[in-house]
Amino acid sequence: VGCDRSKNLVDICGEKNFQAFVCDALSVPIRSGSCDACISIAVIHHFSTAERRLATIRELVRLLRPGGTALIYVWAMEQEYKNQKSKYLKEKNGSKDKEEEINTDMSQRPLSDQMSDSSSQDSACSDQLLSDSKGKDCDAKPVVGSRLPVHTNRTSFHSQDLLVPWHLKGCTKKKEERIDKVVLPAGSKGSQELSPVFHRYYHVFCEGELEAACRSLDCVRVQKSYYDQGNWCVILEKL
């Protein structure tokens, strides 16, 4: 059974006869100890504080039966590891940045709600994140009204807490129903009437950070911790 914050994505699963429901990763409506295995892929890096990220892992573990296992993937700060560039960096000059472009033609449901979950906006303007980003070598452009740097797609990360632009392609809404317009950096000439851009919060994990969070839970044993194509990954077992 699958779950997601996005009702539109869950509806797509239903159309394909998969079992899925809408929920928050911090509060999953499944009985404790009822799952043999759980998978969390590209979810936890959207939570804006260390406490919430740990709470998400704790909730994942709650669902497992004793001896059950979980697999967690989060985006890595290190996109070049052991002298090897990740697939994300290698595709910089590819034909299409598929991860950043959301197709909304008539054959698919709009996925705009995928980029606007409340968990990604909790502390986007916190003073702590501001001081963190200022203290690092960050050449990302600021977004109007935000204190977080904006990542340049297909490049290395210069801050652990940042906004990643998602470009909404093929928008079929009427002009007056347009979700947003591209916001240009201060000092730019004019505004561009281009596809809407959503700036989505990410916390990219440094080496050992995810494993340390998992090990901080008493009822967990880390079976394996590894790096995979720009992601830090942990397989854990509930004791």
Side-chain angles (χ1 to χ4, degrees):
V1 62
C3 57
D4 199 278
R5 182 76 180 208
S6 165
K7 180 180 182 299
N8 286 342
L9 291 179
V10 170
D11 286 345
I12 292 172
C13 290
E15 291 168 1
K16 297 178 180 293
N17 295 318
F18 295 125
Q19 297 184 64
F21 58 89
V22 176
C23 81
D24 190 311
L26 286 168
S27 181
V28 181
I30 293 180
R31 190 173 64 252
S32 298
S34 60
C35 298
D36 295 311
C38 294
I39 298 174
S40 174
I41 304 294
V43 173
I44 296 175
H45 56 216
H46 288 301
F47 287 92
S48 56
T49 66
E51 291 77 14
R52 287 166 65 80
R53 293 188 286 271
L54 181 59
T56 312
I57 299 172
R58 186 180 291 111
E59 178 70 353
L60 195 69
V61 173
R62 179 188 69 80
L63 304 177
L64 293 172
R65 63 165 176 77
T69 56
L71 171 65
I72 302 173
Y73 264 61
V74 295
W75 215 354
M77 178 83 171
E78 301 85 352
Q79 288 298 305
E80 189 166 343
Y81 187 67
K82 294 183 177 179
N83 297 319
Q84 293 289 325
K85 288 185 177 181
S86 68
K87 185 178 179 181
Y88 175 71
L89 292 184
K90 288 179 179 178
E91 290 181 353
K92 180 177 181 180
N93 298 319
S95 58
K96 291 184 179 180
D97 289 346
K98 292 183 179 179
E99 280 87 350
E100 293 83 29
E101 296 181 1
I102 305 300
N103 187 342
T104 57
D105 61 26
M106 296 305 292
S107 65
Q108 296 187 28
R109 303 233 177 189
L111 305 184
S112 58
D113 63 330
Q114 182 188 12
M115 282 83 72
S116 59
D117 58 90
S118 60
S119 66
S120 67
Q121 303 167 6
D122 288 0
S123 59
C125 293
S126 73
D127 291 334
Q128 182 61 48
L129 293 185
L130 172 61
S131 61
D132 287 348
S133 63
K134 279 185 175 179
K136 297 177 181 179
D137 180 20
C138 179
D139 59 3
K141 299 181 179 65
V143 136
V144 176
S146 170
R147 297 180 180 180
L148 286 175
V150 177
H151 176 61
T152 300
N153 291 327
R154 306 295 175 182
T155 64
S156 297
F157 296 113
H158 299 284
S159 173
Q160 276 194 272
D161 297 281
L162 41 80
L163 300 176
V164 176
W166 284 61
H167 303 269
L168 197 66
K169 296 296 183 180
C171 188
T172 58
K173 289 178 177 285
K174 296 179 181 178
K175 186 175 181 180
E176 63 270 17
E177 296 176 347
R178 289 286 295 275
I179 300 170
D180 197 3
K181 292 181 181 179
V182 171
V183 179
L184 296 180
S188 299
K189 296 180 180 180
S191 62
Q192 292 181 347
E193 188 84 21
L194 298 177
S195 299
V197 176
F198 294 87
H199 292 92
R200 194 177 191 189
Y201 173 82
Y202 282 78
H203 172 84
V204 290
F205 282 66
C206 288
E207 182 173 7
E209 185 178 354
L210 175 62
E211 181 179 354
C214 293
R215 290 188 185 279
S216 71
L217 301 177
D218 294 335
C219 57
V220 162
R221 180 174 71 87
V222 173
Q223 290 184 344
K224 187 177 181 181
S225 178
Y226 60 99
Y227 179 90
D228 180 26
Q229 285 297 334
N231 299 281
W232 286 113
C233 320
V234 163
I235 298 175
L236 58 81
E237 177 185 2
K238 183 175 183 178
L239 302 176

